[in-house]
Amino acid sequence: MRRPDPTAGVRHLVFIVTALGVTGVAMGEPKYDLLLRGGHVVDPKSGVSGVRDVAIAAGRIAAVGPAIDPKDAFKAVDVSGLFVTPGLVDIHVHVYAGTGEKDSYAGDNSVYPDGFTFRAGVTTVADAGCSGWRNFEDFKQRVIDRSRTRILAFLNIVGHGMRGGVFEQDLKDMEAKPTAEMASRHRDVVVGIKTAHYEGPEWTPVEQAVEAGTLADVPVMVDFGANRSERPLAELVTRKLRPGDIYTHCYSGLRGEQDASGHVNPGLLEGRKRGVFFDVGHGGGSFAWRIAAPAVTEGFLPDSVSTDLHISSMNTGMKDMLNVMSKFLALGLSLEEVILRSTWNPAREIKHDELGNLSVGSPADVAVLRLESGEFGFVDSFGGRLASRKRLVAELTLREGKIVYDLNGRARPDWQTLPRDYKSTGDPRWDAYGR
Ligand SMILES: [Zn+2]
């Protein structure tokens, strides 16, 4: 049962006030712009997992409590039966689209983010090294500054970024100093340094990335490229990386993540003890049930769930963030464990503690999720399927307090209750849907 819309009277009052030319504030405007009522809040930072109301004002979380008076809100939305979580934080995507460059992650292999994020509850992404110091500013003006998704970025240690083999195997274009300088110049957006796809035996890409990360005081994310005996995985995570650095594609099985006996590589466990983070980075070829399932059984859970979104993962086993999260529900993690690894943990890995939580004062990036029961199946990067009875779906997504996605129109009135000649509904105080 839907509650009657408690804001209907308020909207009517505002209409009259506006018509009289009197400010709404003078008439006692409600203090909250938007109220999400009756949802089950999962906020790992605060440890809350229970039914709470969430009030939003001026784009920030204003109150979280058991019974917030809807009269205090300009707009209230009933989300009972749903889960209210921080907006999801996906720290491994590829979104440097639009350059027209073929076979390049600084081009056609990337996707524009907004069509993939909000519909999966994601409000923040970090591009994982599509650009380097030579083309980051092009990426920024082309995509970052024009998207409604909050976009952060790991800067590739390769100056040209992920433009393909000729560029990405060129050791001469892996320079710590200009990379660190560009990272420092854009500290609001650049959250780390990335090294990826390297096929040679040298440690140079990792060493230069770590040096750049040290100079700019940001973490390094490693896609360890080809599996080379000259630079074993255990040495990477136990000696080369610093605490706080991130190893992505941790369930790929492509670089010895699992040892010959079928157990987690002991080096990964030691790396974790040192403070190295392990990220999923599902992608088109980096998630295998035969690696992930035994690892989870042994207690080697990911620190962060991420998609590695790009053109080869978007329609295959990966699909979207909620699909990857649902895979970890299928492996037996609790919803709270999965939300932690998709919000607060990744926010901390990229040192953006204001994100991934529902603390009062934090940006009101919020996901409202439905946990569906039914007959579902999840496919890994190698065509293996796992059946499951649970799946997460995004119902509503809020970006800085505005509704940017509303699957079932929960924030909308029945059209038959509207004036015969209605042209639009909503209010910029809470609504960015379609704008
Ligand atoms: Zn990637």
Side-chain angles (χ1 to χ4, degrees), residues 92-94 105 128 162 194 196-197 223 248-249 281 283 308-310:
H92 189 154
V93 302
H94 295 279
Y105 287 89
M162 288 188 182
K194 178 85 186 284
H197 304 167
D223 160 333
T248 191
H249 306 313
D308 191 10
L309 171 68
H310 54 76

Side-chain angles (χ1 to χ4, degrees), residues 93-94 105 126-132 153-156 158 161-162 168 194:
V93 302
H94 295 279
Y105 287 89
D127 181 89
C130 287
S131 71
F154 288 83
L155 211 53
N156 205 308
V158 177
M162 288 188 182
E168 292 178 83
K194 178 85 186 284

Side-chain angles (χ1 to χ4, degrees), residues 297-376:
T297 301
E298 287 182 31
F300 189 73
L301 308 186
D303 292 295
S304 47
V305 172
S306 69
T307 61
D308 191 10
L309 171 68
H310 54 76
I311 58 160
S312 300
S313 65
M314 64 186 185
N315 290 321
T316 54
M318 191 286 286
K319 297 182 178 67
D320 64 24
M321 184 71 168
L322 290 173
N323 195 63
V324 180
M325 290 164 65
S326 297
K327 291 182 176 187
F328 286 91
L329 292 176
L331 288 177
L333 274 68
S334 69
L335 182 68
E336 288 82 358
E337 287 177 313
V338 172
I339 298 297
L340 167 66
R341 288 162 173 80
S342 313
T343 58
W344 182 230
N345 272 6
R348 279 184 297 175
E349 287 178 38
I350 58 171
K351 301 186 194 300
H352 274 257
D353 289 11
E354 79 283 12
L355 302 177
N357 67 80
L358 297 175
S359 299
V360 170
S362 289
D365 291 356
V366 182
V368 179
L369 308 176
R370 181 156 37 88
L371 185 57
E372 291 186 334
S373 297
E375 301 290 334
F376 307 119

Side-chain angles (χ1 to χ4, degrees), residues 18 49 59 89 92 136 163 228 241 286 312 329 337 351 387 423:
T18 309
S49 178
V89 179
H92 189 154
F136 171 75
R163 297 184 61 194
R228 302 287 305 224
L241 295 184
S286 300
S312 300
L329 292 176
E337 287 177 313
K351 301 186 194 300
K423 294 291 195 299

